Amino acid sequence: MRHVPLIVLGLALPTTAAPVPKDAGKNLIYFPTVVGAKWVYEDERGGEEAVEVSAVEKDGDELVVSRKGVDGTSTRYTQMIVSTKGLRQPKDAFNDKPEPVWVLKCGLRAGESWETPSGKRTLHEAEEVKVPAGTFKALRVVVESGTETLTSWYAPGVGEVKRTQKRCGTVTVIRSLKSFTPGKK
């Protein structure tokens, strides 16, 4: 009997699996959803604003997160509708549209846009953002409205960590996260 050598080309079996990214398969939520979570923001003049999550209500697959000033005052932006699809603000005194307005849309590719009453919003890739509270990997959302451009960065589980305004070629940091304390579950 004659033996024929078997030659296998181009086959290589991996000996170890590649590491799975930390957030693989997870749908990230870009806002805190626990009562007591607290943000302290500083503005360009050194002023501070402290806001905390005061209530969380389930509405189907979404959560309605209410906020208030730490000093007991209400904030201009009291509620946020939170889901893995993104962040929306419900109809209120500052949003006269019948439907909630998308602040951040998840699941879009970088460069995709959507229209809101405040202007065209464009989602950009996550990037590292340094603020007094630390360094965050955050999605950048740019809002173009007339001659003004607002840019906000949103970090998973934290929400907005920084907002800048560009007007007449000058960029001003409107708010920057000074500290964040997650609520207790």
Side-chain angles (χ1 to χ4, degrees):
M1 186 157 152
R2 191 167 180 212
H3 294 286
V4 179
L6 179 63
I7 299 175
V8 179
L9 299 174
L11 262 186
L13 297 176
T15 57
T16 60
V20 177
K22 180 180 169 189
D23 296 320
K26 291 183 183 177
N27 291 318
L28 297 178
I29 293 182
Y30 286 84
F31 210 78
T33 58
V34 177
V35 172
K38 179 181 168 186
W39 304 263
V40 177
Y41 291 101
E42 62 183 20
D43 64 23
E44 74 278 2
R45 289 182 233 116
E48 286 187 3
E49 177 186 24
V51 180
E52 68 182 1
V53 172
S54 57
V56 178
E57 298 174 30
K58 188 156 178 60
D59 185 11
D61 291 339
E62 300 175 323
L63 297 172
V64 179
V65 178
S66 297
R67 296 173 280 181
K68 68 177 182 179
V70 171
D71 59 2
T73 60
S74 63
T75 63
R76 177 182 159 167
Y77 44 86
T78 58
Q79 291 186 325
M80 186 70 74
I81 301 169
V82 180
S83 74
T84 57
K85 294 177 184 173
L87 306 174
R88 296 181 297 152
Q89 288 188 314
K91 181 180 177 180
D92 60 20
F94 303 99
N95 167 24
D96 60 355
K97 299 292 182 191
E99 294 295 317
V101 174
W102 286 100
V103 173
L104 168 66
K105 280 189 173 184
C106 298
L108 297 180
R109 287 192 293 266
E112 289 187 313
S113 302
W114 65 99
E115 293 293 329
T116 69
S118 60
K120 176 181 156 187
R121 290 180 178 256
T122 303
L123 179 71
H124 297 268
E125 289 188 22
E127 56 193 38
E128 282 195 358
V129 179
K130 291 182 182 185
V131 294
T135 301
F136 296 87
K137 183 123 180 165
L139 290 176
R140 180 169 43 112
V141 176
V142 177
V143 184
E144 297 171 281
S145 179
T147 60
E148 180 179 277
T149 302
L150 288 174
T151 303
S152 293
W153 288 264
Y154 296 90
V158 177
E160 186 179 63
V161 296
K162 185 176 180 180
R163 182 185 305 166
T164 63
Q165 175 184 43
K166 182 177 180 183
R167 183 183 286 165
C168 300
T170 302
V171 177
T172 305
V173 176
I174 295 175
R175 62 192 292 158
S176 185
L177 189 64
K178 183 174 180 178
S179 68
F180 176 74
T181 306
K184 295 183 180 173
K185 294 182 182 183

